[in-house]
Amino acid sequence: MRLKRKDLLGIEDLSCEELDTIISTAESFKEVSTRDIKKVPTLRGKTVINLFYEPSTRTRTSFEIAAKRMSADAVNISVSTSSVVKGETLKDTAKNLEAMNPDCIVIRHSCAGAPHLLARYLRCSVVNAGDGAHEHPTQALLDMLTVKEKKGTLKGLRIVIVGDIAHSRVARSNIIGFSRFGNEVRVVGPPTMIPPGIEELGCRVFTGMDDAIRDADVIMMLRIQLERQKAPLFPSVREYSRLYGLDTDRLSMAPRDVVILHPGPINRGVEISPEVADGPYSLILDQVTNGVAVRMAVFYLLLGGAREG
Amino acid sequence: MRLKRKDLLGIEDLSCEELDTIISTAESFKEVSTRDIKKVPTLRGKTVINLFYEPSTRTRTSFEIAAKRMSADAVNISVSTSSVVKGETLKDTAKNLEAMNPDCIVIRHSCAGAPHLLARYLRCSVVNAGDGAHEHPTQALLDMLTVKEKKGTLKGLRIVIVGDIAHSRVARSNIIGFSRFGNEVRVVGPPTMIPPGIEELGCRVFTGMDDAIRDADVIMMLRIQLERQKAPLFPSVREYSRLYGLDTDRLSMAPRDVVILHPGPINRGVEISPEVADGPYSLILDQVTNGVAVRMAVFYLLLGGAREG
Amino acid sequence: MRLKRKDLLGIEDLSCEELDTIISTAESFKEVSTRDIKKVPTLRGKTVINLFYEPSTRTRTSFEIAAKRMSADAVNISVSTSSVVKGETLKDTAKNLEAMNPDCIVIRHSCAGAPHLLARYLRCSVVNAGDGAHEHPTQALLDMLTVKEKKGTLKGLRIVIVGDIAHSRVARSNIIGFSRFGNEVRVVGPPTMIPPGIEELGCRVFTGMDDAIRDADVIMMLRIQLERQKAPLFPSVREYSRLYGLDTDRLSMAPRDVVILHPGPINRGVEISPEVADGPYSLILDQVTNGVAVRMAVFYLLLGGAREG
């Protein structure tokens, strides 16, 4: 099996069938990481370049481990230690890397659309590992896989996403993905963090968190990225936490079988209390485990599937 | 063969039998690094994460090479270029990494006890690659292997450790390890660098270096870490060097068959003179070679031994 | 086949026969990078250390990919994140790395002669990946391979090198290499950038670019390294560009079958116009592709050739 596309740039581009294919392939690869020998030879001799213009332990590590478990060679390039500071354009950097015959370039960049630019210019596969406030498709895919595992379905659910919707590529990719499967996606957050027109992506805006979670199946808490805000978007962390944080008190207002997601890294005591993050409803670590499986699936479906059947 | 423990956190935890097992396993792996094809397939499909919160060329490289020579996949994470700056707790970082199903996390951290914290929370193996001024067990193991090779025994020797005993995890691990085998361990250094009660670890404090080395079998010089001292612990480098440095003059007061160790990197002309560092008694480079073998043995005994018999 | 030398330090040391051997071996390895499984098992179990004292995305990545496609284990050490800041000498760092039994150390250093120092002290192979303003032999080799591919020969050509000849290790290696094969090598640049006595390397100095390129077979544009100049070597970028830049107007004065090389990264609109860099005469990306092949060949001829025949 193989996707009929060269690149994975965003959930926006993917049909339900493609989403299903990636998620079910990831389910089958999950088992590899539990084996004694956690490796399949499928992508031996393939070269994956992780080109990260923003630092990220977990995402880069997840892609690197996924590549290695598929037996591909992984090469990491991070901007701070690289010659891209010399002022070369993104396109030139990419064309140069491509000339070394990689099979896939995984790119994270602070500018929305950077992966799309690369995809247009390069013959090799491009995977978006997060572009500005635009998309983070493998995150949404791992979130969908996690929800599917626990809920048994990806349809007809009420999904509540809480936090800085305006600046979150995770929110954006998830709104598009979950709404595509006919789920009801609700977004909640301070008015300054809800972009006008967000409903067009397929979600409903709630102003109060209690209302939104009352009959929710899934609550996805977003990280408050204090370090990215130039002008403060809310009066204080304590105020934010009181109105939009998830603690056991507030969680008690949600249904008993609700599940909690968070893309990490979490700010304990800010958007989520330690009791909730570490509690029985939390799927935060399942998400991380599923991240490796989703990325193995993406590499497989972009680079290797055709040879298998 | 396999250690009956999940983690390698400190020499303190290890019995003489376990120390013997690691050292003799390392002896047998040493040969692998001299082969034309320096690789055994033993740990194929295992994932080792090197999580370094302090920079270190030699230790990280040694662990990485050891993992690769065992055919494991090695993933490096160094703090300065990673998202741990975002304020995630160590425990959360570790739980997240564990969720990617590594077999072993090698951690170096400036806080004593950090590896022990991880070991308590994680199901995967944890190896301490140096925690604050506490322990550096693989260093002590490689030192013991080096001494055993040259002296033919690990018992009944007089070992002199010279320098900043108070702030040295290398000293601490070695005092515990060598004294456990019934060697006489002596420590020497400026009074400000000898912690009160150090004798309880199993060593004798000497005030003069000449006295200590007169009948020594092994002299272990410690690095003066000028860059770590906030308040100066001795009046001047020259003064330190005169009293506690090892040059050919002072070395001539030790027995003819004495051997010299140093964990590196060395400050030539400070704690050790170039003539001594590069001289026939110096085992400094043997230590580095043995470091790779010890780490291969540790990976084998923690991750792979059981499957082999 | 194997080179009768341990190290690759500079073009200066290589006979025409050796240059031919490397270039033709690289030609044969080029095909590997176009395979579905881009990997040969030749150097399995070999360890290559990339020791970079200057940052470089493309060169480090090219060496790393070359090592991995030969099935060697590649270990990267970059200075900014390493303990070499602790003041260890280059020789001590190198002796310590060697004690870990690598097969090859690839070194880039800002000091001319650093690789030669290492080569003298180490038993393992040393490859110069650029030393100060001295040599960058794999760059010259990939340039020669690129010219040979397009021109069908490496003899009797007119090669024009334009830019900061005085500070360019790329220029130096290429002047020596191309002149050795009996080509006419011409250098052009501002008088401050032409070192006195450069003719002794085997080139002719031209003051005007138009004169130099009129009957050229190859034009090699050098990068203006604005970030390296302490005192300005020319009045302004615009002035430089006007006199020594290559745009379509100036290119029209060269023969129709001229080819354009640039070691990258390019400053678009400074030493080369976008139209020329991306135009049909430009071999810039071929150079990058050939870089991987040349480095595979170098690893093969230094580390592995003997075992094959």
Side-chain angles (χ1 to χ4, degrees), chain A residues 293-306:
Chain A
V294 157
R295 283 148 191 148
M296 289 170 80
V298 167
F299 287 140
Y300 174 73
L301 291 166
L302 292 178
L303 311 183

Side-chain angles (χ1 to χ4, degrees), chain A residues 1-293:
Chain A
M1 206 162 26
R2 193 161 180 168
L3 287 181
K4 281 182 191 63
R5 54 177 68 243
K6 177 173 82 69
D7 311 297
L8 183 75
L9 302 177
I11 299 296
E12 201 157 17
D13 317 315
L14 299 173
S15 66
C16 282
E17 198 192 333
E18 286 175 304
L19 292 170
D20 265 336
T21 299
I22 300 172
I23 291 165
S24 62
T25 305
E27 282 180 299
S28 72
F29 276 124
K30 242 190 115 163
E31 178 265 334
V32 173
S33 291
T34 67
R35 291 183 195 171
D36 194 45
I37 296 180
K38 284 180 266 294
K39 214 177 175 92
V40 291
T42 318
L43 299 183
R44 200 170 65 80
K46 304 286 185 190
T47 305
V48 172
I49 295 179
N50 291 319
L51 179 61
F52 274 60
Y53 285 81
E54 292 184 330
S56 164
T57 296
R58 77 187 54 220
T59 308
R60 192 265 298 168
T61 302
S62 181
F63 274 107
E64 183 178 351
I65 288 178
K68 288 177 170 172
R69 293 210 174 133
M70 300 301 286
S71 296
D73 290 321
V75 173
N76 295 320
I77 300 174
S78 80
V79 148
S80 53
T81 57
S82 89
S83 76
V84 295
V85 294
K86 287 187 192 167
E88 195 182 37
T89 66
L90 175 62
K91 183 183 163 187
D92 278 338
T93 299
K95 294 291 282 180
N96 271 279
L97 290 175
E98 184 186 48
M100 299 183 199
N101 290 105
D103 297 276
C104 184
I105 295 180
V106 177
I107 180 171
R108 166 163 290 195
H109 202 286
S110 58
C111 294
H116 307 72
L117 183 87
L118 255 62
R120 239 182 348 267
Y121 289 120
L122 304 185
R123 294 178 314 275
C124 72
S125 290
V126 175
V127 172
N128 181 359
D131 64 324
H134 183 227
E135 281 243 32
H136 190 356
T138 56
Q139 177 71 44
L141 285 158
L142 72 88
D143 290 335
M144 286 187 263
L145 169 57
T146 306
V147 167
K148 188 184 171 196
E149 278 181 345
K150 299 293 159 176
K151 292 294 179 183
T153 178
L154 262 179
K155 296 191 207 314
L157 302 169
R158 293 187 197 86
I159 317 278
V160 184
I161 306 179
V162 184
D164 184 357
I165 309 297
H167 300 87
S168 172
R169 52 198 177 204
V170 175
R172 217 174 162 280
S173 289
N174 269 305
I175 293 169
I176 300 169
F178 278 105
S179 67
R180 187 150 300 170
F181 279 109
N183 301 289
E184 184 188 324
V185 183
R186 302 166 178 180
V187 300
V188 193
T192 50
M193 290 178 161
I194 305 290
I198 185 75
E199 296 87 348
E200 289 165 29
L201 288 181
C203 62
R204 290 175 57 197
V205 177
F206 278 62
T207 45
M209 192 164 165
D210 296 351
D211 264 6
I213 68 172
R214 199 183 314 274
D215 56 354
D217 297 292
V218 177
I219 305 174
M220 182 183 297
M221 303 304 296
L222 299 177
R223 172 181 173 79
I224 286 302
Q225 298 190 289
L226 300 165
E227 71 278 11
R228 287 210 191 163
Q229 291 180 40
K230 278 153 204 160
L233 295 171
F234 48 80
S236 78
V237 167
R238 180 177 303 186
E239 177 79 356
Y240 180 85
S241 191
R242 197 178 59 76
L243 288 172
Y244 303 102
L246 191 62
D247 57 14
T248 45
D249 273 3
R250 178 156 281 137
L251 184 59
S252 70
M253 307 181 65
R256 299 257 46 138
D257 62 348
V258 74
V259 294
I260 315 295
L261 273 67
H262 189 300
I266 63 175
N267 295 303
R268 289 176 173 269
V270 180
E271 73 267 0
I272 193 164
S273 76
E275 295 75 24
V276 174
D278 302 332
Y281 307 110
S282 168
L283 303 180
I284 296 176
L285 296 177
D286 300 78
Q287 291 173 274
V288 178
T289 300
N290 287 336
V292 174

Side-chain angles (χ1 to χ4, degrees), chain B residues 33-34 36-39 55-62 64-65 68-69 78 80-81 108 223 225 227-228 265-268 278 284-286 288-289 292, chain C residues 44-47 49 51 68 71 73-78 81-89 91-93 95-103 303 307:
Chain B
S33 291
T34 66
D36 194 41
I37 295 181
K38 284 178 266 295
K39 214 177 175 90
S56 164
T57 296
R58 78 186 53 220
T59 308
R60 192 267 298 168
T61 302
S62 181
E64 182 178 351
I65 288 178
K68 288 177 170 172
R69 292 205 176 138
S78 80
S80 55
T81 58
R108 165 163 290 194
R223 173 181 173 78
Q225 298 190 291
E227 69 281 10
R228 287 209 190 161
I266 63 176
N267 294 304
R268 290 176 172 270
D278 302 332
I284 296 176
L285 296 177
D286 300 77
V288 177
T289 300
V292 174
Chain C
R44 201 170 65 81
K46 305 286 185 190
T47 305
I49 295 180
L51 178 61
K68 289 177 169 172
S71 295
D73 290 321
V75 173
N76 295 320
I77 300 175
S78 81
T81 59
S82 91
S83 75
V84 295
V85 293
K86 289 188 192 166
E88 196 182 37
T89 65
K91 181 183 164 189
D92 278 338
T93 298
K95 293 292 282 181
N96 271 280
L97 291 174
E98 184 186 47
M100 300 184 198
N101 289 106
D103 297 276
L303 310 183
R307 280 104 211 159

Side-chain angles (χ1 to χ4, degrees), chain C residues 187-221:
Chain C
V187 300
V188 193
T192 50
M193 292 179 161
I194 305 290
I198 185 75
E199 296 87 347
E200 289 164 30
L201 289 181
C203 62
R204 290 176 56 196
V205 176
F206 278 62
T207 45
M209 193 164 166
D210 296 351
D211 263 5
I213 68 172
R214 199 185 314 276
D215 55 355
D217 296 291
V218 177
I219 305 175
M220 182 182 298
M221 303 303 297

Side-chain angles (χ1 to χ4, degrees), chain C residues 38 71 73-74 82 98 104 107 109-110 159 161 166 170 177 190 193 197 232 246 268 289 293 309:
Chain C
K38 284 180 266 292
S71 295
D73 290 321
S82 91
E98 184 186 47
C104 183
I107 180 172
H109 201 286
S110 58
I159 317 278
I161 306 180
V170 175
M193 292 179 161
L246 188 63
R268 290 177 172 270
T289 300

